[in-house]
Amino acid sequence: MTSVLDQLRSMTTVVADTAELDAVRKFQPVDCTTNPSLVLKAFENAESKAVLNAAIAQGRAKGHGNEAIAAHLPIELGVALSKLIPGRISTEVEANLSFDKEASVKRALEIVEAYDKRGVGTDRILIKLAATWEGVRAADVLQRQGIDCNLTLVFSLTQAIACADAGAFLLSPFVGRMTDWFKKAQGVDEFKARHDPGVLSVKMIYDYYKSNGIDTIIMGASFRNVDQIKALSGCDNLTISPALLKQLGSETADLPRALSPETAAPAATQTIHATTFRWNTATDPMTNELLANGIRGFDQDFKKMLSILEN
């Protein structure tokens, strides 16, 4: 029998939740992603660190400041990753721009231009934006210009509907972070996969999208264990850490398909306007807290990148 990972690949696009070059080479995902957290982790890998150090040296040779160099590191790592995969590289607009639509669009265009200068075309990248209202509106502008976007830090159906209305290419619901929040809120140690709040949130988004013919790709992210992944087999994309990829690759049990367009539960269409988005986000404690924490966390990791450059 083939491995669980190979079975998963037959029904879902597997994305590597890492920017470490040797891990990507080993697991051969279709797509990859970069963000400040993954870039920091990549400094721990010799091959990836060499790429980053070369980019730092080149930036300093050109007289660039530390902030400009730090902003370019995910792109340089993305260029290296693009040589190892057939698909796309997601690259993040800095978190401190999450509430500025115009600045987010401007930065996205700079990222596209930087990749183009390194020989990586627009069809090979996704611009990652936090799924704030401003991030969603920036995605709407970029998608109309033919620049595909990945809306990240998704924790609610409200965010998912707004992303679809904006024509986003892809969105990333953070399964594990939702699960962690509900475990703490309910005082429980674990959820069975079929009752896992993070899994159920992705399933709700999947049902809404598929029953309404929405093309935006759903990419489950931030997994804590392989049971969560198995419970979402058949989802469009799943981004998985090397440790969990290894575990899936070592298992040979049968993997039934959990999600499919044919079995999606019907869901009534909704239209999300700015006031509805802001109200629903503000009054949902989980979404409100996790969205803010996610933005703050990415910003803190960007500052850690700056501190590395200052030493």
Side-chain angles (χ1 to χ4, degrees), residues 49-70:
K49 183 178 180 179
V51 171
L52 294 169
N53 283 341
I56 292 169
Q58 185 178 52
R60 285 176 173 160
K62 292 180 178 179
H64 296 163
N66 287 340
E67 190 160 339
I69 293 172

Side-chain angles (χ1 to χ4, degrees), residues 176-209:
R177 296 195 192 189
M178 288 186 270
T179 302
D180 292 346
W181 191 93
F182 278 102
K183 283 167 65 175
K184 182 178 179 180
Q186 297 181 15
V188 300
D189 293 329
E190 65 176 342
F191 294 100
K192 296 295 184 183
R194 65 181 179 276
H195 301 304
D196 188 303
V199 170
L200 294 176
S201 179
V202 175
K203 186 179 186 306
M204 179 170 57
I205 294 169
Y206 186 92
D207 287 345
Y208 182 92
Y209 276 24

Side-chain angles (χ1 to χ4, degrees), residues 9 25 38-40 48 52 58 96 99 128 150 159-160 163 172 180 187 213 218 221 242 252 279:
R9 292 184 196 274
R25 189 178 290 109
L38 294 178
V39 171
L40 283 175
S48 302
L52 294 169
Q58 185 178 52
N96 65 345
F99 298 97
K128 286 181 74 175
N150 171 354
Q159 288 175 289
C163 292
S172 302
D180 292 346
I218 303 165
T252 55
W279 178 258

Side-chain angles (χ1 to χ4, degrees), residues 13-300:
T13 296
V14 173
V15 180
D17 194 11
T18 180
E20 297 176 18
L21 298 173
D22 56 351
V24 171
R25 189 178 290 109
K26 177 180 178 180
F27 292 107
Q28 299 182 332
V30 174
D31 298 329
C32 282
T33 188
T34 68
N35 61 42
S37 305
L38 294 178
V39 171
L40 283 175
K41 184 70 175 176
F43 271 107
E44 301 173 12
N45 171 261
E47 184 181 4
S48 302
K49 183 178 180 179
V51 171
L52 294 169
N53 283 341
I56 292 169
Q58 185 178 52
R60 285 176 173 160
K62 292 180 178 179
H64 296 163
N66 287 340
E67 190 160 339
I69 293 172
H72 187 71
L73 290 182
I75 298 169
E76 198 63 33
L77 199 53
V79 171
L81 289 167
S82 72
K83 298 174 183 177
L84 302 178
I85 63 167
R88 296 183 183 237
I89 304 294
S90 288
T91 301
E92 198 149 329
V93 168
E94 286 74 21
N96 65 345
L97 303 179
S98 296
F99 298 97
D100 190 328
K101 169 190 163 184
E102 287 75 19
S104 292
V105 171
K106 180 176 181 291
R107 177 58 182 147
L109 295 175
E110 291 172 354
I111 292 171
V112 169
E113 182 180 7
Y115 269 112
D116 184 65
K117 287 181 178 178
R118 300 286 278 107
V120 181
T122 307
D123 61 334
R124 294 291 313 282
I125 64 173
L126 294 175
I127 295 296
K128 286 181 74 175
L129 298 150
T132 59
W133 181 251
E134 292 79 9
V136 170
R137 299 331 308 159
D140 180 66
V141 172
L142 293 166
Q143 289 288 164
R144 293 174 190 275
Q145 295 182 30
I147 299 170
D148 289 332
C149 297
N150 171 354
L151 272 295
T152 189
L153 296 175
V154 173
F155 304 104
S156 70
L157 183 60
T158 291
Q159 288 175 289
I161 294 172
C163 292
D165 290 345
F169 182 84
L170 180 149
L171 83 161
S172 302
F174 277 37
V175 176
R177 296 195 192 189
M178 288 186 270
T179 302
D180 292 346
W181 191 93
F182 278 102
K183 283 167 65 175
K184 182 178 179 180
Q186 297 181 15
V188 300
D189 293 329
E190 65 176 342
F191 294 100
K192 296 295 184 183
R194 65 181 179 276
H195 301 304
D196 188 303
V199 170
L200 294 176
S201 179
V202 175
K203 186 179 186 306
M204 179 170 57
I205 294 169
Y206 186 92
D207 287 345
Y208 182 92
Y209 276 24
K210 302 309 177 186
S211 67
N212 289 297
I214 295 169
D215 292 332
T216 297
I217 294 168
I218 303 165
M219 183 172 75
S222 175
F223 291 105
R224 299 294 182 253
N225 56 65
V226 295
D227 288 338
Q228 292 176 325
I229 296 168
K230 294 174 184 177
L232 292 174
S233 60
C235 189
D236 301 329
N237 292 20
L238 297 175
T239 180
I240 306 171
S241 69
L244 294 180
L245 286 170
K246 182 178 180 181
Q247 192 173 341
L248 290 166
S250 68
E251 293 186 29
T252 55
D254 183 56
L255 179 67
R257 182 166 188 146
L259 302 180
S260 68
E262 294 75 22
T263 60
T269 59
Q270 303 176 48
T271 300
I272 303 296
H273 299 292
T275 51
T276 305
F277 185 99
R278 297 186 194 284
W279 178 258
N280 288 354
T281 301
T283 56
D284 176 359
M286 184 266 292
T287 300
N288 186 290
E289 181 178 332
L290 292 183
L291 180 58
N293 285 349
I295 291 169
R296 185 164 53 248
F298 285 142
D299 185 55
Q300 289 171 346

